[in-house]
Structure formats: C-alpha cells, structure tokens
Amino acid sequence: TVIEFKHCKFLCCGGKTDERLHTLHTQILLLVFRTFNFFRMSHRKFRAPRHGSLGFLPRKRCARHRGKVKSFPKDDKSKPCHLTAFMGHKAGMTHILREVDRVGSRSHKKEVVEAVTIVETPPMIAVGVVGYIETPRGLRTFKTVFSQHISDECKRRFYKNWYRCKKKAHNRTGQKWADEAGKESIEADFAKMKKYCVAIRVLCHTQPKLFKLRDKKAHIMEVQINGGSIADKVDFARSLLEKPISVKDLFAQNEMIDVIGVTRGHGFKGVTYRWGTKKLPRKTHKGLRKVACIGAWHPSRVGFAVPRGGQFGYHHRTEVNKKVYRIGVKGDAKSASTPFDLTDKPITPMGGFHHYGLINEDFLMLKGCVMGPRKRVLTLRKSLLTHTKRSALEKIELKFVDTASKWGHGRFQTDAEKKAFQGLLKKDREAME
C-alpha cells in the first residue's frame, strides 16, 4: 500500500524497515488528526486548576491593625546583642534610577528604573523587659519589668476612652523604682530572668507626635533580642529602657528585611473579584458574575473550598525579602541626592507625599511595594533566612531619586528648578523686595 503525504511516500510491504515506516506513518496520522480535532473541539475542558489559593483561609477582616511578628529570627549566641524588629508608617512611593551590578545578568552594567516605597521610621521608646521560659506547650511569660516613666502616648493604648479615664495606668510599677523595697524586687526579677529565661524581649512603642498624623495612641510591640547569653540580653534590654531606639541601629543598607502588615481593605466583594473565577456566558439568567455550581446534592452543604463572595482585603500578610536601598536620617537636606545627581533635595516630593505629607524623621527606602494604604503602620523584621543569591548580596548605588510632584504630571524636581523655568511668582517678588 502506498500512502502519500505531500511530497513524501511510505511503502509498507513487510520487514523490519517497513514496520518502522509503518509506525512513523501512524504517528504522523495521529498528529494530523489531533491538530485537526483541536480546532474542531466545541465542548468545555474536563479539568481546570482551581481559582484562588486556599492557603490564606479564612479571608476575613484582621483582628489587629498592626502587623504581628509571629516568629522572630533564629538566635545566634555568637553575635552581639541586637534587636530584630521595628515599626514605621507607609508614606508613599517614588522611583529611582540605578546601574545593575550583577555579573551574568542581561541587565549587568545597564541602567534600570525601579519603584521604591518610603517608610517613615521615627525612633521608638523602650518601656519594659519581658522574660520567657520554656514549657511543654511552648514559651510562656515569666517576668515583666516596666520602666519608671511611661509617656501618655503609651498609656493611651491601655484605655478605651482617654479623657474619661483616671489615667493611673502603671502608677504602681513606676513607684517601685522610687523606694528601696521596690528596687530590691526589680533586681530580684532581673536576676530570675538571667537564671530561668530562654528568651528576652523588649516592650517598645512608637511616638505618634513625630508622625504628624491624627493618631494619638502609640503602637506597642514586643521585640526579641538576639545574640549573646541570657545575662547579656537582660543587661542590654535594661540599658535600652526609656531611651530612643533608631532604625539605623537595626537595619543597614543593602540588607534584606521582611515587612508585616495589614492589606488595603475593599469591603464585601463578589466571587469574580474575590477569587478570580470565570464569568458565565452573556445570556445567563440572574447574572453572570457567579459560580454556576456550588456543589453536589450530597453532601448537603457547601464545601469550604467553593469560592463565595465576602470580605476582600484588610488581611494580615507578611512579605519577605524587601531590599533596603537607603536609610535616611532626620534633618538631612540631601536625603534624595546621589553622587550622580548633586542637587540638594530632601526625599519629600514637591507638594508632599500624596495624602501623607512631609517626611520629617528617619526613613527607609525599600525596593518595590508593600501592603496597605498610605499611613498604615508596618512592622519591619530582620530576615529569617541566610541570603546567598546574587540579587540579595548586590550592592546598590543609586544614580537618581525622583522627587517630582506626585499630584499630577510632575515636571520639576525642586522648587528652585520650577522657579528658574517658570519665573518668580508675585508673592516671591514681593518677599524679595
């Protein structure tokens, strides 16, 4: 039998060679048939991956506004004592220009423009020391020692209604430092911490007065101390009481850190928006942004894995491996200047950050975006991993930081540049006269 395919002829007459030809001919026939059938298929596919991840259930509103550190980095006693977490507020985003220094990459020695997030991080105040002991069910608080003086910003957090309360929170704990019996009990507590505890954490709070936001209650969190022996940790924590803790004492440029916070809330959303399910055909009765079948007759209930409408956003999330591009210091008029852009300009863009304002304190510049809207409080944690990738170890050298207005199509980097191009305003001329 002779079978023709375009310009090729296969002769099947028997023998080993002919068997191979016959097999090849069969495979080509199948391929042609499948290709033809692919374009003819009119039924739906029989299998499809599910829409949305089940790893983040339940998708409901977070109980706390502040990001909670659920695990601290592993302790290394060979290192000196250091804190492992900090808090700041998201101010806004801008973009930078830099040259990639990654041998082997296609972008090596090329300029790239990247988005960055600015997180304002004024100093935090340490007001207490907490010691933990090991139990069969995990860690348990053993002793807590508060400092002698606690600010009203911190005390506001202990009350629901500040102006109606008696404002007597921690009066007795502060009086302990005044008399001899109290001092002896405090020393005894510190001695017991050194003897029995396996982890030492410091109670720190933010300073809302430095953020210039509407918030008056300080956010309080426990920050674990890593490095050194337990006695060293207790002494280190004690030395921090009532003192400001700066962000540059924790993090360094080019370091990879983790950001913990609560995402932007979107309220009640339908199944198409919330889970990304397929929309039904146009002529579907009673709407098409639905799930067609939410389960079989039996079991006579809706399964937990079936996509449904509900709360979307305002979820607690942790984003890992955010690289620190720059650590800014309070009062630095050149915080956005670089060796390639010598213009004296602060990090605050013209007109201020959109719906945030001016950056007047220390700040962190992080690569990419982070969760939450502007003004959202974020928890910054040292990374849990030991980084070995070239992207993590790359040294960052910025060439340009954008400070144009974020309110519109910003054309000028500084106010002086705008006046040099457009001329002085009437009020500026009058001020000069």
Side-chain angles (χ1 to χ4, degrees):
T1 307
V2 177
I3 302 170
E4 291 188 11
F5 284 106
K6 290 188 177 179
H7 305 295
C8 301
K9 290 185 179 181
F10 295 97
L11 187 61
C12 304
C13 306
K16 292 183 178 179
T17 309
D18 300 332
E19 286 178 6
R20 291 173 186 167
L21 286 173
H22 181 69
T23 308
L24 181 64
H25 149 246
T26 308
Q27 290 177 350
I28 292 174
L29 268 179
L30 283 171
L31 182 63
V32 172
F33 178 74
R34 285 172 182 169
T35 307
F36 178 67
N37 244 13
F38 174 77
F39 294 107
R40 268 194 343 144
M41 185 176 68
S42 59
H43 61 80
R44 74 174 295 275
K45 293 181 180 178
F46 297 110
R47 292 181 180 84
R50 68 161 290 110
H51 290 271
S53 172
L54 296 178
F56 297 101
L57 293 181
R59 295 199 178 192
K60 63 179 186 178
R61 286 177 59 84
C62 185
R64 60 181 70 85
H65 188 70
R66 172 184 60 84
K68 180 182 179 181
V69 179
K70 299 188 178 180
S71 56
F72 286 96
K74 191 176 180 181
D75 193 8
D76 185 1
K77 295 182 180 180
S78 62
K79 294 181 179 178
C81 294
H82 60 276
L83 297 173
T84 53
F86 205 80
M87 278 193 289
H89 282 72
K90 179 177 176 178
M93 295 186 71
T94 184
H95 65 266
I96 56 96
L97 177 76
R98 72 180 183 92
E99 189 176 279
V100 178
D101 182 19
R102 202 182 309 155
V103 180
S105 170
R106 290 182 178 180
S107 304
H108 183 55
K109 297 294 182 185
K110 292 182 181 178
E111 291 182 343
V112 294
V113 176
E114 292 174 335
V116 292
T117 301
I118 308 300
V119 181
E120 192 172 14
T121 53
M124 295 175 67
I125 305 295
V127 292
V129 183
V130 186
Y132 284 83
I133 58 173
E134 190 73 63
T135 70
R137 292 180 296 276
L139 294 177
R140 178 179 71 81
T141 53
F142 178 62
K143 291 290 180 184
T144 303
V145 177
F146 282 90
S147 61
Q148 184 174 3
H149 304 101
I150 298 177
S151 67
D152 285 350
E153 292 178 317
C154 181
K155 288 181 180 179
R156 278 177 182 267
R157 182 57 62 179
F158 306 138
Y159 291 102
K160 188 74 174 176
N161 195 328
W162 176 250
Y163 83 96
R164 276 189 172 182
C165 72
K166 297 181 178 179
K167 304 178 179 59
K168 289 188 175 181
H170 290 281
N171 276 5
R172 292 183 181 178
T173 55
Q175 290 169 0
K176 276 188 177 183
W177 295 85
D179 57 356
E180 294 300 322
K183 287 182 180 178
E184 288 178 5
S185 68
I186 290 172
E187 293 297 335
D189 288 346
F190 280 127
K192 287 178 181 177
M193 283 187 196
K194 294 180 180 180
K195 186 175 181 181
Y196 299 110
C197 290
V198 295
I200 302 296
R201 296 177 184 173
V202 180
L203 274 168
C204 302
H205 71 81
T206 58
Q207 301 184 75
K209 63 184 178 183
L210 301 180
F211 281 110
K212 306 297 183 186
L213 302 178
R214 292 179 61 189
D215 206 7
K216 294 181 180 179
K217 285 186 182 181
H219 290 280
I220 307 174
M221 71 174 295
E222 287 185 3
V223 181
Q224 185 161 301
I225 298 175
N226 282 359
S229 64
I230 294 297
D232 296 336
K233 290 174 182 174
V234 173
D235 294 336
F236 179 72
R238 193 171 180 179
S239 68
L240 295 175
L241 289 178
E242 298 185 26
K243 294 181 181 176
I245 301 167
S246 178
V247 68
K248 62 178 180 291
D249 299 334
L250 275 78
F251 305 119
Q253 189 173 343
N254 304 317
E255 185 178 350
M256 303 291 276
I257 67 173
D258 301 338
V259 181
I260 307 168
V262 179
T263 61
R264 181 195 297 264
H266 295 273
F268 192 100
K269 287 292 182 181
V271 68
T272 304
Y273 188 100
R274 193 179 186 217
W275 292 96
T277 55
K278 189 110 177 134
K279 289 204 297 184
L280 299 179
R282 181 186 62 83
K283 296 181 72 173
T284 307
H285 184 53
K286 290 188 177 179
L288 48 82
R289 295 174 65 90
K290 298 172 179 290
V291 173
C293 176
I294 59 172
W297 192 312
H298 291 289
S300 54
R301 58 186 173 274
V302 179
F304 78 96
V306 177
R308 309 287 276 164
Q311 172 68 31
F312 182 77
Y314 204 75
H315 306 311
H316 190 275
R317 294 290 180 264
T318 301
E319 290 191 18
V320 299
N321 301 342
K322 297 290 183 183
K323 200 174 185 75
V324 179
Y325 273 11
R326 176 168 287 187
I327 297 180
V329 183
K330 176 184 178 180
D332 185 7
K334 302 180 181 180
S335 55
S337 302
T338 67
F340 299 88
D341 179 20
L342 300 177
T343 310
D344 294 350
K345 55 181 184 178
I347 192 63
T348 305
M350 291 187 65
F353 275 107
H354 198 210
H355 289 198
Y356 185 86
L358 310 179
I359 301 291
N360 298 314
E361 299 291 329
D362 301 345
F363 69 88
L364 284 185
M365 182 188 289
L366 303 178
K367 180 184 177 181
C369 60
V370 297
M371 73 287 291
R374 293 166 292 269
K375 304 180 184 178
R376 179 61 50 86
V377 62
L378 300 172
T379 302
L380 313 170
R381 180 188 65 188
K382 282 188 171 289
S383 180
L384 303 181
L385 311 173
T386 302
H387 295 280
T388 56
K389 290 187 177 181
R390 284 184 298 173
S391 58
L393 302 177
E394 182 183 357
K395 303 296 182 185
I396 303 298
E397 187 176 359
L398 303 181
K399 282 192 169 184
F400 172 76
V401 179
D402 181 61
T403 56
S405 174
K406 306 300 175 190
W407 289 92
H409 302 286
R411 296 167 56 195
F412 308 105
Q413 294 294 315
T414 61
D415 190 50
E417 182 184 339
K418 181 179 179 181
K419 288 176 180 176
F421 182 82
Q422 293 185 340
L424 296 175
L425 298 174
K426 183 179 178 181
K427 63 179 181 180
D428 296 327
R429 289 196 299 269
E430 289 175 353
M432 292 174 65
E433 293 171 358

